[in-house]
Amino acid sequence: MSLKSMFNDIPFVKQLGMEITAVDDGYAAGELPLEDGHSSNPESIIAHGGVTYSLVDTVGGAAVISQSGTVSPTVDMRIDYLAPATADLRTEAEVIRSGGSVSVVDAEVYDTDGHHIASARGTYKTDGDRGESPWTEGVDGSDVTQLTDD
């Protein structure tokens, strides 16, 4: 199974309609077509901030895991919303620092009309207890470390 396929099979990713489109060593990209249910405005489609955040968090996590080779939950995320999103979203995330216990990711979000929607920086845990946790329960530990890129 590829890391891209693994992320695209996450129930929440499917629920929101996200798609991870690229994953490489410390890099990931993803898209989210805006739908009525993503809107923060009952009169028109303007992406709710949580939708934008979810896309950034998911794509950032894929970038980290592509480099760390292990489950890497989010520790902290700062996002600056720069413009309202009224068209489909796309984001790219890149690991800018991979340390012994955390990795830091920068991400940019644009809509398909070319508007810069948001900038974000996230911190993800990359080490620690390699045993059972809610993130690894029922997952063979080799599943993450043996993922391939498509």
Side-chain angles (χ1 to χ4, degrees), residues 15-130:
Q15 176 75 27
L16 283 183
M18 287 184 227
E19 180 184 1
I20 302 300
T21 58
V23 180
D24 199 9
D25 187 27
Y27 169 85
E31 299 175 347
L32 188 141
L34 281 186
E35 300 173 3
D36 290 343
H38 297 142
S39 187
S40 63
N41 183 328
E43 303 301 320
S44 64
I45 295 181
I46 299 173
H48 186 282
V51 170
T52 305
Y53 178 95
S54 295
L55 179 62
V56 168
D57 185 40
T58 303
V59 173
V64 171
I65 292 172
S66 75
Q67 196 168 63
S68 72
T70 188
V71 174
S72 300
T74 310
V75 174
D76 186 50
M77 178 75 66
R78 174 186 166 77
I79 187 165
D80 294 318
Y81 297 97
L82 307 172
T86 58
D88 296 349
L89 299 174
R90 61 183 173 78
T91 190
E92 294 185 35
E94 185 173 357
V95 175
I96 61 164
R97 171 82 165 92
S98 184
S101 61
V102 297
S103 287
V104 178
V105 172
D106 277 348
E108 301 297 333
V109 182
Y110 291 86
D111 69 15
T112 53
D113 291 336
H115 299 113
H116 193 185
I117 301 302
S119 292
R121 175 164 285 180
T123 306
Y124 297 79
K125 186 168 178 49
T126 56
D127 82 334
D129 183 10
R130 301 276 181 185

